[in-house]
Amino acid sequence: MERPTIAPEAGSPSEVAASSSGLPPAGEAAPPGAGTAPAATSFTQALGLTWEEVRGVLQERMRLFSLEAQRSGLALVQIVLYGVMAAVLVVTAWLALMGGIAVWLVLNAGFHWAVAVVVIAASNVVVAAVLGAAMRKLVPQLGFPATVRQLRGGVAPQPPGPRS
């Protein structure tokens, strides 16, 4: 008497392993060349799709970067223009203030107009000298001293000695 064979259930481990590897289920003959070509083709296709996706993402990021760079450039130009306009307004306000002080010195303090102009010019030179000294004290900070000290391993640089 012949024994009946029981076919494996759909989704059994042997079928799942065979179908995921591209091989035919157990008991069936594999066609010639089967087992390597579909896996290689699907890997190549997956690799191609992945490359296309990466390329698309990079293109989108570069386009975004380009647009933001343009926007940043325009904003920088506007900032510089606004700064120049503000500087012109400050200078004209300063000139008006100095002119007003000169007029006051001539009309109310009894100064000769030439003396009033010299007093205004001298006061501007003094204020400029004070600002220049303050700027000179800030120059050492331009070299990122704390960062340089950190990168050198914490060795504190010697402060410059008095100038002769």
Side-chain angles (χ1 to χ4, degrees):
M1 189 160 156
E2 201 177 302
R3 270 179 138 180
T5 58
I6 301 175
E9 297 177 321
S12 70
S14 63
E15 261 187 24
V16 170
S19 66
S20 65
S21 67
L23 299 174
E28 292 183 20
T36 56
T41 302
S42 64
F43 177 74
T44 307
Q45 288 174 347
L47 189 61
L49 291 174
T50 302
W51 170 250
E52 288 299 318
E53 198 151 327
V54 167
R55 190 169 156 241
V57 167
L58 288 176
Q59 284 178 343
E60 289 173 8
R61 296 277 167 94
M62 289 306 296
R63 177 149 170 83
L64 178 63
F65 176 77
S66 171
L67 291 173
E68 282 190 327
Q70 288 175 355
R71 189 174 185 187
S72 295
L74 290 175
L76 179 62
V77 168
Q78 284 181 325
I79 288 169
V80 168
L81 287 176
Y82 293 163
V84 168
M85 290 171 57
V88 167
L89 293 173
V90 167
V91 167
T92 56
W94 182 258
L95 291 174
L97 177 65
M98 293 297 111
I101 292 173
V103 168
W104 183 85
L105 287 173
V106 169
L107 296 178
N108 294 333
F111 281 74
H112 188 269
W113 66 268
V115 174
V117 169
V118 169
V119 167
I120 296 299
S123 64
N124 280 330
V125 168
V126 168
V127 170
V130 169
L131 291 173
M135 289 187 302
R136 186 172 225 168
K137 286 182 182 178
L138 294 174
V139 168
Q141 294 180 14
L142 293 176
F144 299 95
T147 302
V148 171
R149 191 170 44 251
Q150 186 72 23
L151 291 173
R152 288 187 180 161
V155 177
Q158 297 297 324
R163 293 188 181 183
S164 21

